């Protein structure tokens, strides 16, 4: 007679279905708080439904999608056991990638892969995602929580986000509107945002205890490294969408993410125009650079060219507009809570970013 096989439940294999259900219950209120009128139903279906009523008055609605993650900033979040704001980073990296076309973010989905699912832990992460969605004006309509025992360590997790927005084709902005003589404005970043963290970890985090990371530093104006590097990414999309709807005459935008100003501002340029950015003299740029970025540039010994190709250098979003429209654009941006500054100009060229 064959031996009776040993009973092994899914929980014995490392996946706790009951804890997964608890996690869903824990995030329901946060998800519901992001609902727009177009959201149909709620959590629990196999697919998320969103009415296209938002597009009914458009001449030629164009859907714009984007996806991104948070990157190795999550390793620092795990080290510090701070998970409340990385969800904002996730949303920011997605929604601020679609708004430069002029698109309004409509809905967002997330993917959370985690070694060991704990409802309270996931609730903190998703709570941050919901906060990011509220700030950007898009609805969190669904997502996935995947427990990966044996593939990830119990405390490890990774995040991915997906956004869909819409823009009326005649109102799309971008390089086709940019001309020689246009002015480049910058919107301040809150800090490092979510890029360059592999370098940040190597030069400023590795080998330090949590106590050392939480100690105030004079170089950071009395702020700790922990607070400075975990500050969430600024979300620009909500305010910029409102500015565009109000008729602020913006020609193009560039979300300054991985690759810094050098590798992102050029994406807002046509092939016959260069961006000349005022990098300033020995004292640095003509705008304020967050102390944490200056700290990292010095810690890594970066040259100016390397720094502007690694970090955002205090600019989270660049705005290009006509020279005669600068005052109107700045007034429109200030009305949305931004603090714009002039960072350069457009000249005849080859679609490159140069510095002076």
């Amino acid at each position: 007679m064959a031996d009776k096989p040993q009973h092994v439940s899914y929980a014995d294999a490392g996946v706790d279905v009951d804890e997964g259900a608890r996690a869903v219950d824990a995030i329901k209120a946060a998800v519901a708080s992001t609902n727009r009128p177009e959201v149909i139903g709620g959590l629990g279906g196999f697919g998320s439904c969103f009415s296209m009523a938002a597009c009914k008055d458009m001449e030629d609605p164009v859907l714009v999608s984007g996806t991104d993650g948070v990157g190795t900033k999550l390793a620092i979040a795990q080290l510090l056991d701070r998970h409340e704001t990385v969800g904002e980073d996730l949303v920011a990296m997605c929604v601020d990638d679609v708004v430069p076309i002029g698109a309004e973010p409509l809905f967002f989905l997330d993917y959370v892969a985690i070694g060991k699912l704990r409802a309270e832990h996931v609730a903190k992460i998703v709570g941050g995602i919901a906060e990011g969605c509220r700030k950007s004006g898009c609805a969190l309509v669904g997502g996935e929580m995947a427990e990966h025992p044996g593939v990830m360590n119990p405390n490890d997790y990774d995040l991915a986000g997906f956004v869909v927005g819409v823009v009326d084709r005649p109102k799309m902005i971008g390089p086709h509107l940019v001309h020689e003589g246009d002015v480049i404005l910058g919107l301040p970043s809150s800090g490092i945002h979510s890029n360059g963290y592999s370098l940040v970890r190597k030069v400023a985090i590795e080998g330090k205890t949590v106590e050392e990371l939480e100690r105030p530093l004079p170089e950071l104006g009395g702020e700790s490294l922990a607070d400075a590097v975990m500050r969430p990414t600024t979300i620009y999309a909500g305010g910029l969408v409102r500015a565009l709807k109000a008729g602020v005459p913006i020609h193009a935008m560039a979300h300054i993410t991985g690759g810094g100003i050098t590798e992102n501002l050029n994406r807002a340029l046509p092939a016959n125009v260069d961006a000349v950015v005022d990098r300033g003299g020995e004292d640095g740029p003509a705008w304020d650079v967050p102390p944490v970025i200056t700290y990292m540039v010095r810690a890594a010994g970066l040259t100016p060219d390397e720094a502007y190709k690694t970090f955002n250098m205090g600019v989270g979003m660049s705005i290009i507009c006509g020279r005669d429209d600068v005052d109107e654009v700045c007034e429109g941006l200030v009305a949305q809570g931004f603090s714009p500054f002039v960072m350069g100009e457009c000249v005849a060229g080859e679609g490159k970013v140069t510095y002076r």
Side-chain angles (χ1 to χ4, degrees), residues 6-17 114-117 146-152 154:
Q6 180 183 359
H7 174 264
V8 180
S9 69
Y10 207 3
D12 292 332
V15 177
D16 191 336
V17 176
I114 194 163
K116 179 63 178 176
L117 196 152
E147 196 169 15
H148 287 171
V151 176
M152 305 175 74

Side-chain angles (χ1 to χ4, degrees), residues 204-219:
I205 304 298
E206 289 180 1
K208 291 185 173 68
T209 64
V210 172
E211 290 73 20
E212 288 175 306
L213 293 173
E214 292 182 340
R215 187 177 302 152
L217 294 179
E219 306 97 302

Side-chain angles (χ1 to χ4, degrees), residues 180 270-275 346-352:
E180 179 183 351
N272 63 340
V273 171
D274 280 355
C346 294
V347 301
E350 302 173 342
K352 298 179 180 179

Side-chain angles (χ1 to χ4, degrees), residues 16-32 42-45 110 117-123 126 140 142-146:
D16 191 336
V17 176
D18 292 335
E19 188 68 6
R22 275 211 325 125
V24 172
D25 287 338
I27 66 174
K28 280 183 176 178
V31 172
L43 291 183
D110 62 70
L117 196 152
R118 290 180 288 118
E120 293 79 5
H121 186 191
V122 171
V126 178
L140 178 56
E144 170 71 5
M145 290 179 290

Side-chain angles (χ1 to χ4, degrees), residues 1 8 14 26 32 35 38 58 60 68 85 114-115 119 127 136 153 163 174-175 219 250 271 287 292 330 351:
M1 184 175 179
V8 180
N35 278 355
E38 300 91 348
M58 293 185 178
D60 184 6
D68 211 332
T85 60
I114 194 163
S136 61
N153 292 325
V163 67
E219 306 97 302
I250 293 171
W287 61 84
V292 66
C330 286

